[in-house]
PDB file of all heavy atoms in Angstrom:
ATOM      1  N   PHE A 206      -9.909  14.667 -20.882  1.00  0.00           N
ATOM      2  CA  PHE A 206     -10.220  13.658 -19.864  1.00  0.00           C
ATOM      3  C   PHE A 206     -11.572  13.001 -20.137  1.00  0.00           C
ATOM      4  O   PHE A 206     -12.557  13.693 -20.413  1.00  0.00           O
ATOM      5  CB  PHE A 206     -10.242  14.286 -18.470  1.00  0.00           C
ATOM      6  CG  PHE A 206      -8.892  14.733 -17.971  1.00  0.00           C
ATOM      7  CD1 PHE A 206      -8.623  16.082 -17.772  1.00  0.00           C
ATOM      8  CD2 PHE A 206      -7.904  13.806 -17.694  1.00  0.00           C
ATOM      9  CE1 PHE A 206      -7.389  16.502 -17.320  1.00  0.00           C
ATOM     10  CE2 PHE A 206      -6.663  14.215 -17.233  1.00  0.00           C
ATOM     11  CZ  PHE A 206      -6.398  15.560 -17.045  1.00  0.00           C
ATOM     12  N   PRO A 207     -11.636  11.675 -20.046  1.00  0.00           N
ATOM     13  CA  PRO A 207     -12.937  10.998 -20.184  1.00  0.00           C
ATOM     14  C   PRO A 207     -13.730  11.140 -18.885  1.00  0.00           C
ATOM     15  O   PRO A 207     -13.242  11.702 -17.895  1.00  0.00           O
ATOM     16  CB  PRO A 207     -12.534   9.536 -20.415  1.00  0.00           C
ATOM     17  CG  PRO A 207     -11.248   9.389 -19.661  1.00  0.00           C
ATOM     18  CD  PRO A 207     -10.542  10.716 -19.814  1.00  0.00           C
ATOM     19  N   ARG A 208     -14.941  10.625 -18.874  1.00  0.00           N
ATOM     20  CA  ARG A 208     -15.707  10.572 -17.632  1.00  0.00           C
ATOM     21  C   ARG A 208     -15.172   9.428 -16.767  1.00  0.00           C
ATOM     22  O   ARG A 208     -14.790   8.372 -17.262  1.00  0.00           O
ATOM     23  CB  ARG A 208     -17.205  10.348 -17.914  1.00  0.00           C
ATOM     24  CG  ARG A 208     -17.917  11.579 -18.420  1.00  0.00           C
ATOM     25  CD  ARG A 208     -19.409  11.318 -18.527  1.00  0.00           C
ATOM     26  NE  ARG A 208     -20.020  11.008 -17.227  1.00  0.00           N
ATOM     27  CZ  ARG A 208     -20.438  11.927 -16.355  1.00  0.00           C
ATOM     28  NH1 ARG A 208     -20.297  13.210 -16.642  1.00  0.00           N
ATOM     29  NH2 ARG A 208     -20.991  11.559 -15.218  1.00  0.00           N
ATOM     30  N   TYR A 209     -15.172   9.688 -15.472  1.00  0.00           N
ATOM     31  CA  TYR A 209     -14.728   8.679 -14.513  1.00  0.00           C
ATOM     32  C   TYR A 209     -15.895   8.355 -13.576  1.00  0.00           C
ATOM     33  O   TYR A 209     -15.880   8.670 -12.388  1.00  0.00           O
ATOM     34  CB  TYR A 209     -13.521   9.179 -13.725  1.00  0.00           C
ATOM     35  CG  TYR A 209     -12.276   9.370 -14.564  1.00  0.00           C
ATOM     36  CD1 TYR A 209     -12.059  10.560 -15.257  1.00  0.00           C
ATOM     37  CD2 TYR A 209     -11.321   8.371 -14.670  1.00  0.00           C
ATOM     38  CE1 TYR A 209     -10.924  10.740 -16.031  1.00  0.00           C
ATOM     39  CE2 TYR A 209     -10.178   8.543 -15.447  1.00  0.00           C
ATOM     40  CZ  TYR A 209      -9.991   9.732 -16.124  1.00  0.00           C
ATOM     41  OH  TYR A 209      -8.865   9.907 -16.896  1.00  0.00           O
ATOM     42  N   ASP A 210     -16.924   7.739 -14.144  1.00  0.00           N
ATOM     43  CA  ASP A 210     -18.079   7.356 -13.328  1.00  0.00           C
ATOM     44  C   ASP A 210     -17.699   6.206 -12.407  1.00  0.00           C
ATOM     45  O   ASP A 210     -17.108   5.209 -12.844  1.00  0.00           O
ATOM     46  CB  ASP A 210     -19.244   6.948 -14.228  1.00  0.00           C
ATOM     47  CG  ASP A 210     -19.759   8.118 -15.049  1.00  0.00           C
ATOM     48  OD1 ASP A 210     -20.299   9.050 -14.441  1.00  0.00           O
ATOM     49  OD2 ASP A 210     -19.604   8.098 -16.284  1.00  0.00           O
ATOM     50  N   ALA A 211     -18.035   6.353 -11.134  1.00  0.00           N
ATOM     51  CA  ALA A 211     -17.684   5.340 -10.138  1.00  0.00           C
ATOM     52  C   ALA A 211     -18.519   4.078 -10.341  1.00  0.00           C
ATOM     53  O   ALA A 211     -19.748   4.144 -10.464  1.00  0.00           O
ATOM     54  CB  ALA A 211     -17.893   5.892  -8.732  1.00  0.00           C
ATOM     55  N   VAL A 212     -17.856   2.927 -10.381  1.00  0.00           N
ATOM     56  CA  VAL A 212     -18.502   1.629 -10.587  1.00  0.00           C
ATOM     57  C   VAL A 212     -17.813   0.609  -9.676  1.00  0.00           C
ATOM     58  O   VAL A 212     -16.895   0.934  -8.933  1.00  0.00           O
ATOM     59  CB  VAL A 212     -18.390   1.170 -12.059  1.00  0.00           C
ATOM     60  CG1 VAL A 212     -19.195   2.086 -12.976  1.00  0.00           C
ATOM     61  CG2 VAL A 212     -16.921   1.129 -12.503  1.00  0.00           C
ATOM     62  N   VAL A 213     -18.263  -0.633  -9.770  1.00  0.00           N
ATOM     63  CA  VAL A 213     -17.623  -1.727  -9.042  1.00  0.00           C
ATOM     64  C   VAL A 213     -17.050  -2.704 -10.066  1.00  0.00           C
ATOM     65  O   VAL A 213     -17.767  -3.188 -10.944  1.00  0.00           O
ATOM     66  CB  VAL A 213     -18.618  -2.454  -8.114  1.00  0.00           C
ATOM     67  CG1 VAL A 213     -17.954  -3.658  -7.452  1.00  0.00           C
ATOM     68  CG2 VAL A 213     -19.158  -1.497  -7.064  1.00  0.00           C
ATOM     69  N   LEU A 214     -15.748  -2.959  -9.962  1.00  0.00           N
ATOM     70  CA  LEU A 214     -15.082  -3.955 -10.795  1.00  0.00           C
ATOM     71  C   LEU A 214     -14.973  -5.228  -9.961  1.00  0.00           C
ATOM     72  O   LEU A 214     -14.520  -5.187  -8.821  1.00  0.00           O
ATOM     73  CB  LEU A 214     -13.703  -3.447 -11.209  1.00  0.00           C
ATOM     74  CG  LEU A 214     -12.942  -4.229 -12.286  1.00  0.00           C
ATOM     75  CD1 LEU A 214     -13.726  -4.265 -13.590  1.00  0.00           C
ATOM     76  CD2 LEU A 214     -11.566  -3.607 -12.517  1.00  0.00           C
ATOM     77  N   TYR A 215     -15.384  -6.360 -10.510  1.00  0.00           N
ATOM     78  CA  TYR A 215     -15.492  -7.571  -9.687  1.00  0.00           C
ATOM     79  C   TYR A 215     -15.173  -8.817 -10.494  1.00  0.00           C
ATOM     80  O   TYR A 215     -15.161  -8.805 -11.738  1.00  0.00           O
ATOM     81  CB  TYR A 215     -16.915  -7.675  -9.114  1.00  0.00           C
ATOM     82  CG  TYR A 215     -17.991  -7.889 -10.157  1.00  0.00           C
ATOM     83  CD1 TYR A 215     -18.477  -9.169 -10.446  1.00  0.00           C
ATOM     84  CD2 TYR A 215     -18.523  -6.816 -10.867  1.00  0.00           C
ATOM     85  CE1 TYR A 215     -19.456  -9.370 -11.413  1.00  0.00           C
ATOM     86  CE2 TYR A 215     -19.500  -7.006 -11.829  1.00  0.00           C
ATOM     87  CZ  TYR A 215     -19.968  -8.286 -12.096  1.00  0.00           C
ATOM     88  OH  TYR A 215     -20.929  -8.481 -13.060  1.00  0.00           O
ATOM     89  N   ARG A 216     -14.912  -9.898  -9.788  1.00  0.00           N
ATOM     90  CA  ARG A 216     -14.724 -11.202 -10.413  1.00  0.00           C
ATOM     91  C   ARG A 216     -16.100 -11.784 -10.748  1.00  0.00           C
ATOM     92  O   ARG A 216     -17.044 -11.664  -9.958  1.00  0.00           O
ATOM     93  CB  ARG A 216     -13.949 -12.136  -9.482  1.00  0.00           C
ATOM     94  CG  ARG A 216     -12.513 -11.664  -9.235  1.00  0.00           C
ATOM     95  CD  ARG A 216     -11.793 -12.595  -8.275  1.00  0.00           C
ATOM     96  NE  ARG A 216     -11.643 -13.941  -8.815  1.00  0.00           N
ATOM     97  CZ  ARG A 216     -10.703 -14.332  -9.657  1.00  0.00           C
ATOM     98  NH1 ARG A 216      -9.795 -13.459 -10.067  1.00  0.00           N
ATOM     99  NH2 ARG A 216     -10.645 -15.578 -10.094  1.00  0.00           N
TER     100      ARG A 216
END
Side-chain angles (χ1 to χ4, degrees):
F206 291 114
R208 284 186 62 85
Y209 294 86
D210 295 294
V212 293
V213 175
L214 191 60
Y215 66 97
R216 294 178 64 82

